[in-house]
Amino acid sequence: MNKLRRTMLFCPASEPKMFINTPVYKPDCIIFDLEDAVALSEKDSARDLLCEAINSIDYSGIEIFVRVNPLYTPFGETDVREVVKAGVRNIRLPMCESKEDVKKLEELLEQIEKENNIELGSVKIQCAIETPKGVMNSYEIATSSLRVVAISFGAEDFTRELGVDRTKEATELSFARSQVVLSAKAASVDAIDTVWADIKDMEGFIKEAQNAKTIGFSGKSCIHPAQVKEVHRIFTPSKEEVEKSIQIIDAAKEAEEKGLGVIQVNGKMVDVPVIKKAERIVSLAGLEKVL
Ligand SMILES: CC(=O)SCCNC(=O)CCNC(=O)[C@H](O)C(C)(C)COP(=O)(O)OP(=O)(O)OC[C@H]1O[C@@H](n2cnc3c(N)ncnc32)[C@H](O)[C@@H]1OP(=O)(O)O
Ligand SMILES: O=C([O-])CC(=O)C(=O)O
Ligand SMILES: [Mg+2]
């Protein structure tokens, strides 16, 4: 864990006013979208606009991704070529279904890097898993290239492909979301949960974000600025959690010095997994500057 990816705020590349404002909301990452948020007739102009603007805005440390169109569409390859030449170093690949999809993007990136004197391997990939086939292949996707830094789940396309409605209870998503988390963890990459489309339903959004944290996601995609601060609150360890973790780590150190194994802190057993979890919380808090 060395980069915070709690929030990925989507912003349509066809909306210059919105994309100038995105850093104001301080998401950990911004995803400029050239795919589904952009009308077919606007694809070329949105790409041009984004490439023009990307270097003139101060994103002050926010990680920038661009969601390109899939490589099987007439826009995908040009999207990748132009945004990488404009300086983008993170691509979100939508509708990713197999390791071959990643390999195709990897070959294209290698070619673009060579042609433009860009360090080989410097462009990273986030694979969006949003079909049943993608879910079934999520581990091979996550391990298909050293460039893959994260995999994300997309519930809107997933439910479309499954032929069901997306419900607020999200029972139709539970297996797939957990599978994406397990594949990401097994591959040591980040797992990013899906967007919540009902921007007026904050209660539903918060419930889903809390569940995302509970089942192991590293963060959640957002579509509206109001969602960003809620995800940060949920995914940031609280002061109490950090204090409790420090207490556990200190007690474990003392026990080790005394040659003791398992101990108890505040009536709860503390052994190796508990200590490791406490260390993870403290390290996360360090990244998030809670300490
Ligand atoms: C299934 C998928 O593929 S999801 C991914 C693709 N979808 C997207 O990228 C959509 C991203 N989100 C949006 O485009 C917008 O939030 C919308 C269209 C849904 C709603 O936008 P609005 O009607 O403007 O919402 P609202 O009035 O609440 O916005 C409040 C302010 O936040 C800004 N804002 C809203 N969403 C965003 C965003 N994603 N990024 C930056 N700014 C935003 C608005 O411009 C507005 O700014 P202002 O007060 O200066 O005028
Ligand atoms: O990746 C996401 O969360 C958004 C998306 O494309 C989908 O849900 O189909
Ligand atoms: Mg989608």
Side-chain angles (χ1 to χ4, degrees):
M1 178 211 324
N2 46 28
K3 270 203 172 132
L4 271 182
R5 296 194 178 106
R6 295 167 299 181
T7 45
M8 299 213 167
L9 177 61
F10 267 109
C11 178
S14 49
E15 295 290 341
K17 182 182 151 277
M18 272 192 208
F19 68 65
I20 288 165
N21 282 338
T22 45
V24 173
Y25 310 114
K26 296 191 170 38
D28 291 333
C29 313
I30 296 168
I31 306 174
F32 291 113
D33 190 24
L34 292 169
E35 198 216 13
D36 284 352
V38 176
L40 275 180
S41 58
E42 303 274 303
K43 295 281 186 195
D44 294 325
S45 57
R47 184 196 311 117
D48 291 347
L49 189 68
L50 180 63
C51 292
E52 275 283 306
I54 199 120
N55 288 312
S56 56
I57 302 166
D58 178 10
Y59 291 105
S60 38
I62 298 173
E63 196 177 24
I64 304 297
F65 286 79
V66 171
R67 182 168 76 169
V68 295
N69 288 283
L71 292 180
Y72 55 75
T73 68
F75 310 105
E77 184 173 332
T78 314
D79 288 349
V80 178
R81 279 190 186 283
E82 295 308 315
V83 300
V84 171
K85 281 200 275 176
V88 170
R89 292 293 174 267
N90 299 296
I91 302 289
R92 173 137 147 171
L93 182 65
M95 305 298 280
C96 193
E97 293 201 304
S98 66
K99 61 177 187 293
E100 286 74 28
D101 289 345
V102 186
K103 289 284 170 209
K104 268 187 207 140
L105 175 58
E106 182 160 55
E107 277 163 27
L108 176 61
L109 288 172
E110 242 177 71
Q111 200 186 75
I112 300 168
E113 286 167 345
K114 279 184 192 148
E115 284 167 6
N116 294 279
N117 277 328
I118 298 168
E119 191 189 331
L120 220 58
S122 57
V123 183
K124 304 299 180 199
I125 303 172
Q126 177 186 171
C127 303
I129 312 277
E130 31 190 355
T131 63
K133 186 173 171 190
V135 172
M136 298 314 287
N137 290 335
S138 53
Y139 179 67
E140 70 158 52
I141 290 170
T143 50
S144 59
S145 162
L146 288 174
R147 292 177 190 259
V148 176
V149 293
I151 58 175
S152 51
F153 180 58
E156 295 299 330
D157 274 304
F158 179 77
T159 46
R160 177 179 61 79
E161 292 264 331
L162 208 58
V164 300
D165 286 336
R166 183 172 175 187
T167 67
K168 299 244 154 149
E169 297 72 34
T171 39
E172 72 285 1
L173 305 179
S174 62
F175 174 80
R177 285 169 84 218
S178 288
Q179 180 64 67
V180 168
V181 169
L182 293 184
S183 297
K185 297 286 162 163
S188 299
V189 300
D190 282 329
I192 312 299
D193 192 29
T194 186
V195 298
W196 177 265
D198 187 348
I199 53 179
K200 298 280 173 241
D201 180 9
M202 275 319 268
E203 201 185 316
F205 175 75
I206 289 168
K207 230 163 118 187
E208 190 173 81
Q210 265 157 350
N211 177 259
K213 188 193 168 195
T214 304
I215 66 175
F217 278 107
S218 333
K220 189 163 177 63
S221 298
C222 300
I223 52 164
H224 192 277
Q227 297 178 338
V228 171
K229 61 176 189 304
E230 294 300 338
V231 176
H232 284 180
R233 181 180 56 75
I234 291 164
F235 279 81
T236 304
S238 66
K239 204 162 164 276
E240 292 70 35
E241 274 178 290
V242 177
E243 280 168 5
K244 211 173 90 189
S245 300
I246 292 173
Q247 211 185 356
I248 288 171
I249 293 165
D250 288 348
K253 255 190 219 141
E254 205 183 308
E256 201 187 342
E257 278 159 20
K258 290 182 184 156
L260 299 171
V262 62
I263 54 165
Q264 63 132 318
V265 174
N266 296 329
K268 291 211 178 108
M269 183 190 76
V270 169
D271 61 355
V272 173
V274 178
I275 300 163
K276 295 283 172 216
K277 280 183 209 163
E279 286 171 350
R280 187 178 169 278
I281 287 173
V282 171
S283 120
L284 198 58
L287 282 176
E288 292 162 7
K289 298 184 186 64
V290 172
L291 286 177

